[in-house]
Amino acid sequence: MATTYDLFINNERVRTENQEYFPAINPYTREEWASIPQASTAQVADAIAAARHAYDTVWSKTSGYDRAKLLHRLADILDANAERMAIMETTDNGKVIRETYSQMGFAARAYRFFAGCADKIFGDTIPLDQRNVFDFTRREPVGVAVLITAWNSPMGLLSNKLAPALAAGNCVVIKPSEHASVTTLEFANFIKEAGFPPGVVNVVTGDYRAGQALLTSGRVDRVSFTGSPAVGRQIASDAGRALVPVTLELGGKSPNIIFDDAELDRAVVGALAGIFAATGQTCIAGSRLLVQRGVYKQVSERLVERARKIKLGNPLDKSTEMGTAANEPQFKRILGSIDNAVKEGATLTCGGKAATGENLAKGFFIEPTIFTDVHNSMTLAQEEVFGPVLSIIPFDTEEEAISIANDTKYGLASGVWTTNLSRALRMSRAIHAGTVWVNTYRAASVMAPFGGFKDSGYGKERGVIALEEFLQTKNVMIDFSDEERDPFAIKV
């Protein structure tokens, strides 16, 4: 029987008499397993008002030390419920349980990391030309922030935003993707259990209508969004009209580059993990594998051999290596991209269709798919597929690898596989991407900044720098001189 959820506003579960709901579909069984509320414009306004009231009356007056204690409690509660939350997230989006469980731990670590930052938000003392003026800066929260997350990693993506937002002293309204809302609604219970004051964290769910109501309210101070570039542009436009700053973490078409001097065993594993982990449904997927021509045939053959052995199945089974597409629209988009790549002339060497077989019949399964003889000008190499589809592109020289790597509108992540330290440093400088991994791929740390260039967005998440997205600087001048001044002269 499907569980019915309600909105979370002012630390209370909220519904109206005629509340609209929509189904949450398990992508493995294609069955409805939860019922999610569609927030109305009035409910969105209530959530913003609750956040504003909490900020003005309570949260802006709460010390960093006390904010830190609450964040630590929140992390403890998430850890205690990690297995249950992982099962829910896997049921909601089809990602394998090993990864969703790991992401719960990653999210808890983020809340602890930023708890450690909450009482260390310092301003500066600035020596001026005027000797009798004391000048200093204050770092203050922006106020009310809107946090919009994607369906591929709801808890992990939320922690990237919520942890620094709360540590910096802001109140928030969260809107998860309509395709994966359950864990965010469950997480709201932890907010109340941890002891956060009413209104500090609010959760509204629904489709684009709820998002538009948030962005056009004229009553928020910051927006942080993870999703597609198309939606990111619309959000930036809507927010820009109200002069609301935005952090955008968008798509990617990341190059993963294997040189002929690389340790190929490690590089092949890294290439597999870079594209087939999370069923390729990750913005940092290494979907363009650039391989130096001397090892191109060897690497391609080894990847095809290993990809054919990837175990598909129930995402809740710990032995499953690759789960489903997260929802039916994404399932169809991935298959459409594969068909188009064949028409463009790329050579299909592995997979290429919906996966069938025992325990796969109902799920949105797609075979691990590899294309060789891909040219970087092909749509397959330029547009984000967001699925288990790998393009293998040959190159000859380091200069050519750099040219191909940067020949994209995206700039989120990249990988370099080489045993040559000088080359690694040259490549890390030359690649236009927010992250460069060397001899690893898809690694993450809450301490390390994350964010993209170009169409992959702007602003940073994770790391101490993420606090800057949720802070503003105030300058204070105190004149302690006894001199009389000309009231019409600028005091310099």
Side-chain angles (χ1 to χ4, degrees):
M1 183 176 176
T3 301
T4 298
Y5 286 90
D6 293 315
L7 305 174
F8 184 79
I9 300 173
N10 220 29
N11 275 13
E12 299 293 338
R13 291 296 175 177
V14 175
R15 72 166 71 180
T16 62
E17 186 176 344
N18 58 346
Q19 186 73 56
E20 181 183 346
Y21 290 87
F22 58 92
I25 304 298
N26 181 336
Y28 175 61
T29 64
R30 301 200 192 194
E31 296 174 351
E32 179 180 348
W33 75 287
S35 188
I36 308 300
Q38 170 66 50
S40 67
T41 300
Q43 289 172 321
V44 169
D46 288 344
I48 295 171
R52 178 65 62 191
H53 180 75
Y55 179 77
D56 290 339
T57 61
V58 179
W59 199 237
S60 61
K61 300 174 176 62
T62 302
S63 70
Y65 175 72
D66 287 333
R67 296 198 302 271
K69 288 196 295 184
L70 291 170
L71 285 165
H72 277 299
R73 285 181 203 156
L74 183 61
D76 290 342
I77 295 168
L78 181 55
D79 270 340
N81 289 272
E83 184 173 2
R84 181 174 67 89
M85 290 288 283
I87 291 170
M88 288 183 172
E89 193 145 296
T90 291
T91 304
D92 217 12
N93 69 2
K95 184 176 286 189
V96 294
I97 188 70
R98 287 181 295 174
E99 180 157 1
T100 55
Y101 182 78
S102 175
Q103 287 184 332
M104 298 305 154
F106 184 90
R109 178 70 181 95
Y111 294 113
R112 291 193 177 93
F113 175 80
F114 283 102
C117 299
D119 61 351
K120 302 173 186 66
I121 299 172
F122 307 130
D124 295 309
T125 301
I126 304 172
L128 303 182
D129 293 338
Q130 304 95 316
R131 297 182 60 188
N132 294 325
V133 177
F134 176 58
D135 189 276
F136 66 95
T137 62
R138 293 176 50 88
R139 306 292 287 130
E140 298 182 348
V142 296
V144 174
V146 169
L147 313 180
I148 304 175
T149 58
W151 44 257
N152 55 324
S153 299
M155 285 293 96
L157 296 176
L158 178 60
S159 70
N160 288 345
K161 305 175 189 299
L162 182 61
L166 293 177
N170 299 278
C171 294
V172 304
V173 180
I174 303 165
K175 194 200 102 54
S177 167
E178 64 270 31
H179 293 296
S181 299
V182 171
T183 49
T184 305
L185 288 165
E186 283 283 339
F187 180 80
N189 295 328
F190 305 160
I191 293 291
K192 187 173 183 177
E193 183 180 347
F196 284 87
V200 172
V201 177
N202 307 273
V203 180
V204 296
T205 53
D207 58 20
Y208 70 94
R209 291 171 290 174
Q212 282 186 333
L214 282 168
L215 296 167
T216 59
S217 69
R219 300 174 62 202
V220 301
D221 305 299
R222 183 86 199 187
V223 176
S224 181
F225 168 77
T226 296
S228 71
V231 177
R233 282 190 174 87
Q234 184 60 53
I235 285 173
S237 176
D238 290 342
R241 280 191 286 272
L243 294 180
V244 174
V246 180
T247 301
L248 298 175
E249 197 273 280
L250 307 177
K253 199 66 186 175
S254 300
N256 199 2
I257 307 167
I258 300 177
F259 286 95
D260 58 12
D261 67 344
E263 294 182 16
L264 293 187
D265 288 344
R266 290 182 63 190
V268 168
V269 171
L272 281 164
I275 186 61
F276 297 124
T279 318
Q281 296 171 129
T282 172
C283 53
I284 57 174
S287 54
R288 290 187 300 150
L289 186 67
L290 281 56
V291 183
Q292 200 157 23
R293 205 172 296 274
V295 293
Y296 183 84
K297 184 174 185 294
Q298 180 185 357
V299 169
S300 299
E301 289 176 348
R302 289 175 66 174
L303 283 168
V304 168
E305 179 184 7
R306 180 62 182 87
R308 286 174 175 160
K309 297 177 182 178
I310 292 175
K311 181 180 178 182
L312 279 64
N314 186 346
L316 290 172
D317 185 336
K318 293 181 180 179
S319 68
T320 298
E321 295 178 315
M322 200 175 91
T324 67
N327 51 71
E328 187 170 11
Q330 184 61 20
F331 176 70
K332 291 178 178 178
R333 276 194 292 270
I334 295 168
L335 292 175
S337 295
I338 293 171
D339 291 342
N340 187 64
V342 172
K343 293 175 184 176
E344 282 193 304
T347 301
L348 180 63
T349 58
C350 179
K353 60 183 184 299
T356 57
E358 187 179 1
N359 299 323
L360 304 180
K362 291 185 178 181
F364 297 123
F365 288 101
I366 295 174
E367 295 175 336
T369 298
I370 297 176
F371 284 95
T372 55
D373 303 318
V374 176
H375 191 279
N376 200 56
S377 62
M378 292 179 175
T379 303
L380 181 65
Q382 291 294 320
E383 298 298 330
E384 189 174 38
V385 176
F386 220 67
V389 182
L390 179 65
S391 304
I392 307 182
I393 303 171
F395 70 90
D396 290 301
T397 66
E398 185 177 311
E399 292 72 24
E400 185 183 9
I402 293 168
S403 177
I404 294 171
N406 291 335
D407 183 19
T408 172
K409 62 187 177 182
Y410 295 106
L412 187 57
S414 59
V416 176
W417 299 86
T418 180
T419 54
N420 185 320
L421 178 59
S422 296
R423 171 178 281 161
L425 292 172
R426 288 194 302 270
M427 294 297 291
S428 68
R429 183 174 59 232
I431 295 173
H432 301 322
T435 294
V436 180
W437 288 295
V438 178
N439 295 331
T440 187
Y441 201 89
R442 209 166 169 261
S445 169
V446 299
M447 290 85 84
F450 177 72
F453 300 168
K454 301 189 285 189
D455 278 18
S456 292
Y458 47 79
K460 294 297 178 186
E461 298 185 328
R462 303 180 195 154
V464 175
I465 196 172
L467 289 167
E468 296 300 319
E469 304 294 312
F470 297 99
L471 291 169
Q472 53 194 348
T473 300
K474 177 185 290 181
N475 191 79
V476 180
M477 285 187 180
I478 302 175
D479 189 335
F480 57 89
S481 68
D482 295 326
E483 300 176 12
E484 291 189 9
R485 299 279 185 133
D486 181 349
F488 301 104
I490 297 176
K491 298 181 180 181
V492 297

